[in-house]
Amino acid sequence: MISIKTKNELDLMRKAGEVVALAHKKVEESIKPGVTTLELDRIVEEVIRKSGAIPSFKGYKCPYPGGIDYPSSICASVNNEVVHGIPGLRELKDGDIISIDIGAYLNGFHGDAARTFAVGKISPEAEKLIEATKQSFFEGIKNAVEGNRIIDISSAIEDYIASNGYTVVREYVGHGIGREMHEEPQIPNYRSRERGPRLQHGMTLAVEPMVNEGTYRVELLKNKWTVVTADGMLSAHYENTIAVTENEPVILTILD
């Protein structure tokens, strides 16, 4: 069942989204060669908790048998890691790219956003991948208006990515969000057979293109969380929580 949010609920979601945006700002300031992904995790958790919120990801139940509950406040996915990279003692190197996914729970609602950052000086190819992934999000949400369907968002994302010579991941998709981190509907970043529900004012969605430099195929590592590209090539990720309105969508995970 799709949850339609009231104005008051949207205001509360915006506050959760602001916490996520603040955490991303702090991450962007902190990313440099030599920093570990565990240090970035600690920085984000401090921002979230000082804001009176709770990290949405920490303790999240693994969807696969034998996997542990998620141990960290962020997902930190480096280079060929697509999503759900677990922070640790890995030091970032000049030329790396890293996707940071952050969720915060405040006043009964979640905010969720991801960004892919450059570490030091990166290659022109990596820079182009990051920018195309980000722009595909904005191309997609042009269609996130009342009366359209989910497939209108999905198709715009895939068309833009394909026109840039990349592929979109198919096994992992965007999602509804609100009182739960993952709600209905699912939001593929590609054309699927299902057109999806019609968009309504008050729907809140986490739209998140995951874009690969090579094949769209991915593999799940033994930790049951981290997803990597099947061919070892780079991947980028960009996400915001948005609200559907009568007019253009509102992004809830950016700072005014």
Side-chain angles (χ1 to χ4, degrees):
M1 179 176 177
I2 296 173
S3 170
I4 303 299
K5 312 311 189 289
T6 65
K7 182 182 183 304
N8 181 61
E9 289 173 330
L10 290 175
D11 289 342
L12 292 174
M13 287 195 66
R14 185 187 294 275
K15 293 184 185 303
E18 286 173 355
V19 174
V20 172
L22 282 170
H24 269 298
K25 185 172 184 290
K26 189 67 174 177
V27 163
E28 186 172 15
E29 294 168 356
S30 304
I31 285 178
K32 60 183 178 181
V35 72
T36 68
T37 52
L38 186 60
E39 288 175 288
L40 297 176
D41 183 65
R42 290 170 177 163
I43 288 167
V44 168
E45 182 160 356
E46 182 178 9
V47 171
I48 290 173
R49 295 197 185 277
K50 280 188 174 180
S51 300
I54 298 170
S56 297
F57 302 162
K58 200 165 191 176
Y60 197 90
K61 185 173 177 58
C62 184
Y64 301 103
I68 62 170
D69 292 348
Y70 195 75
S72 307
S73 297
I74 66 172
C75 298
S77 307
V78 182
N79 294 333
N80 68 316
E81 295 173 345
V82 180
V83 286
H84 307 157
I86 299 175
L89 298 178
R90 178 178 188 169
E91 292 186 0
L92 298 179
K93 304 189 303 295
D94 189 66
D96 284 342
I97 66 172
I98 181 169
S99 162
I100 302 291
D101 196 351
I102 301 173
Y105 181 72
L106 180 66
N107 297 325
F109 290 91
H110 293 272
D112 185 14
R115 308 280 187 266
T116 300
F117 299 102
V119 182
K121 182 174 177 56
I122 63 174
S123 69
E125 292 79 12
E127 188 171 354
K128 182 187 174 192
L129 174 66
I130 292 173
E131 288 305 312
T133 303
K134 178 179 179 179
Q135 186 58 37
S136 74
F137 164 84
F138 289 100
E139 295 299 321
I141 69 166
K142 288 177 183 177
N143 294 298
V145 295
E146 191 169 36
N148 277 357
R149 292 188 180 272
I150 294 295
I151 196 172
D152 297 312
I153 300 173
S154 307
S155 299
I157 291 171
E158 184 178 36
D159 287 348
Y160 185 81
I161 289 305
S163 72
N164 280 273
Y166 303 123
T167 61
V168 292
V169 172
R170 292 171 175 262
E171 292 186 36
Y172 298 85
V173 299
H175 51 92
I177 183 171
R179 293 190 180 275
E180 302 294 333
M181 169 57 67
H182 294 99
E183 298 182 350
E184 291 297 325
Q186 291 193 339
I187 308 163
N189 297 304
Y190 59 92
R191 284 183 181 81
S192 65
R193 293 181 180 179
E194 299 294 327
R195 297 181 65 200
R198 200 171 292 281
L199 300 176
Q200 301 177 53
H201 172 67
M203 289 175 65
T204 46
L205 312 172
V207 178
E208 51 176 323
M210 291 156 270
V211 178
N212 292 349
E213 197 174 31
T215 179
Y216 68 84
R217 298 187 186 281
V218 298
E219 297 174 354
L220 182 68
L221 297 187
K222 290 181 180 179
N223 64 23
K224 304 291 186 180
W225 279 109
T226 307
V227 178
V228 299
T229 57
D231 57 9
M233 296 184 75
L234 295 179
S235 185
H237 183 198
Y238 189 87
E239 174 187 24
N240 279 304
T241 300
I242 69 165
V244 177
T245 72
E246 297 96 334
N247 301 305
E248 63 183 19
V250 175
I251 300 176
L252 301 176
T253 43
I254 57 174
L255 298 173
D256 292 334

